[in-house]
Amino acid sequence: MTFTSEAPEVAGAVSERLALQPHLFVDGAAVSATHGGELAVVDPASGHRIGTAACGDAHDIDRAVRSAARAFRPGSPWRRMTPLERGKVLHRIGDAILDRADEFAELEVLDAGKVRGAARSIDVDFAARAFHYFAGWPTKIVGSTVPTSHPGIHIATEKEPVGVVGAITAWNFPLLLCGWKLAPALAAGCAVVLKPSEETPHSALWLAELAVEAGLPPGVLNVVPGRGADAGRALVDHPLVDKITFTGSTAVGQEIARRSADQVKRVTLELGGKSANIIFADADLDAAVEGSAAGLFWHSGQTCSAPSRLFVHRSVHDEIVRRLTAIADGLRPGHGLARGTELGPLVNAAQQDRVAGHVRLAREQGATVHVGPDVPAEGFFHPATVVSDAHDEMACATEEIFGPVLTVLAFDDTDEVLQRADASEYGLAAGVWTRDVSTAHRATRALRAGTVYVNGWGLTDPAAPFGGFRRSGYGRDLGPDGLEGYLETKSVWTFHG
Ligand code: NAD
């Protein structure tokens, strides 16, 4: 098989973005990091440095938070903006993303190691759709009147923006997560400081510029790339930040929850997962195999809801393992911008080592490991891998691997598999493949996960809440529940005699 890990030519606008002076985006303008911090930008598919980004620190976070707090003051242009106008601004941001969809997709490929087709049709499209969806909400945020038993008193509730939001995001969906976090926060009327992952800062910085061009007042959206231990912690600890919305690992989410508790700060946590996916014997096996493989292998398994724990009924187990390994063998690795690439790289060398370590351990623990064909030697690739003959207690069946590694476990009956599937500390997503409607209903009730798919996997919709049970987090992104996370409820009592 021939493949290339070198990037083909990229669009002029993308080269220009990568060549920009390293900057943060604060108070409506590009500014340098106060102490001149820099981050190397590396193309994961080649391992080569392709640019430099600014690395903000606690001082920069303070500047950005103060800018957001000013933008949120009573009487500011943002607070005076009507709900209808706020919705129009959000809509224009969505349009601006789509106007540059191909360039955004290329930028995501180079920054995050994505494959162009998926970056364009999933990341970019979904970011735009989140802004378009939430553009409809500002005019529909309503309170209620309260049927009080007190005579001469009128009570009404009002929904108000929570205030200054600190958003901290992961590297696996840099632009898409901007849509998930920023669109509902802005629809609610909040001001935001976003700290994107240090691995992937470019798309968020570009989006912030476009948002100001779309009519967002300066200071309402600030972007400070930087490291988690420095800029991230400073954002969590800042007393002027009213709420943290976080997408990332469970370990960091736990720390954020602990630190936020000191200030009783509101927190939404979208964390890791080890999602169970169950194929019953009566399922449409073609659809189940294709859907399960696609759900796991796209973005090289670096998705929070990856169906990485696949339970298969023993009667079809061997056939399904055979078909999954054939799919793994057929995935064409390469640079995400090269035509025909189906399997991109992992985000960095540390992640590559981690995934390889998990595969080694599975083999040492006695599982059967099928490693797909060779991948490019340069860059941070890992072959598509299927692990079978595994047990529920093995690390490959319990820990989030975040790589193209699918663990298959055999089961015999429905009660047994529902219990085993549910025996996880995570609860982000789950899936069930069956033609029997009562099996499907039993499973969707039994599986404690924020999203349960029946005969499909992996779609999201801006109108559908997304989030986790248990250690996959709390609170929700997207949909009305996502918006609610950026609102406070105020009861207004009027004594009218
Ligand atoms: P990570 O937790 O290492 O980093 C996420 C973000 O947190 C980054 O911006 C990082 O700089 C910042 N950060 C790190 N330490 C911090 C600290 N002490 N205080 C404040 N901020 C800090 O996660 P990652 O490796 O970037 O992303 C992969 C993880 O994200 C996986 O576990 C994946 O499941 C999860 N994820 C979850 C969802 C979801 O919706 N549930 C979506 C995407 C990714």
Side-chain angles (χ1 to χ4, degrees), residues 174-192:
L175 182 67
L176 180 146
L177 289 175
C178 287
W180 286 34
K181 303 292 191 197
L182 305 180
L186 298 175
C190 296
V192 185

Side-chain angles (χ1 to χ4, degrees), residues 211-231:
V212 169
E213 286 169 23
L216 199 70
V220 175
L221 172 58
N222 306 274
V223 179
V224 182
R227 296 186 200 287
D230 184 1

Side-chain angles (χ1 to χ4, degrees), residues 83 86 136-143 158-160 184 187-189 483 487:
R86 208 156 77 229
W137 266 110
T139 49
K140 294 157 196 83
I141 297 171
V142 291
E158 291 175 6
K159 291 286 188 183
E160 297 196 349
L483 181 74
L487 295 168

Side-chain angles (χ1 to χ4, degrees), residues 168-172 195-198 228 232-233 246-249 252 255-256 270-272 304 400 402 428 466:
I168 301 177
T169 50
W171 46 261
N172 60 341
K195 194 210 80 63
S197 167
E198 53 271 48
R233 281 193 180 135
F246 172 74
T247 293
S249 61
V252 173
E255 184 193 321
I256 288 176
E270 297 288 353
L271 309 177
C304 52
E400 183 178 50
F402 235 53
L428 193 58
F466 186 89

Side-chain angles (χ1 to χ4, degrees), residues 315-353:
S315 63
V316 291
H317 173 271
D318 292 355
E319 179 192 346
I320 291 213
V321 169
R322 212 170 29 250
R323 290 167 75 169
L324 289 169
T325 54
I327 290 176
D329 287 349
L331 290 174
R332 187 188 172 85
H335 197 288
L337 294 180
R339 200 178 291 275
T341 292
E342 292 163 323
L343 186 75
L346 301 173
V347 73
N348 57 30
Q351 191 60 17
Q352 189 185 29
D353 289 347

